[in-house]
């Protein structure tokens, strides 16, 4: 059997192509070059309509837990202190600590 000779003999090629390569080229991947956050970009621009449809679900909701304060009758959230009664109590406590009469205004 005859051996197949290469198309270009070694004598026609430059020496750096025929000599064994002392180093190998290492091409880094994209993940090594850039942090992962840089690669997470949208492919298309988000249209105004699509943004508006997404934002439509973020509207304010009506409060369902509004009750009247048993002390003064002003509306307040259930399981919360009434701001009017609390301000009166805090003024009373502070005046009591200071030793003076409460201001009922």
């Amino acid at each position: 059997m005859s051996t197949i000779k290469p198309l270009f003999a070694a004598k026609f090629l430059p020496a750096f192509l025929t000599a064994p390569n002392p180093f190998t080229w290492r091409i880094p991947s994209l993940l090594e070059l850039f942090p992962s956050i840089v690669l997470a970009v949208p492919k298309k621009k988000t249209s105004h309509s699509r943004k508006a449809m997404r934002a439509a679900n973020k509207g304010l909701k009506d409060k369902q837990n509004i009750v009247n304060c048993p002390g003064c009758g002003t509306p307040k959230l259930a399981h919360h202190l009434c701001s009017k009664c609390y301000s009166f109590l805090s003024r009373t406590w502070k005046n009591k600590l200071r030793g003076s009469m409460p201001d009922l205004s």
Side-chain angles (χ1 to χ4, degrees):
M1 293 207 129
S2 66
T3 60
I4 299 174
K5 294 191 177 194
L7 293 176
F8 298 104
K11 59 184 174 182
F12 295 120
L13 291 176
F16 70 90
L17 289 177
T18 57
N21 199 356
F23 64 93
T24 58
W25 288 96
R26 186 179 166 278
I27 300 173
S29 68
L30 282 178
L31 292 175
E32 294 174 9
L33 291 176
F34 301 111
S36 60
I37 192 74
V38 174
L39 296 176
V41 293
K43 291 188 179 203
K44 300 265 183 181
K45 180 179 177 181
T46 306
S47 69
H48 176 74
S49 172
R50 195 167 289 275
K51 281 189 283 191
M53 285 190 290
R54 184 173 60 239
N57 295 323
K58 298 180 182 178
L60 297 175
K61 295 182 175 70
D62 294 334
K63 292 284 185 178
Q64 301 293 329
N65 58 346
I66 296 178
V67 295
N68 290 330
C69 175
C72 63
T74 58
K76 71 173 189 81
L77 289 175
H79 308 290
H80 286 73
L81 290 174
C82 172
S83 60
K84 196 171 185 181
C85 293
Y86 177 73
S87 63
F88 172 74
L89 286 174
S90 66
R91 277 184 288 161
T92 307
W93 292 331
K94 288 178 184 177
N95 288 331
K96 187 176 180 182
L97 288 174
R98 293 184 193 134
S100 64
M101 295 298 293
D103 183 17
L104 300 176
S105 59

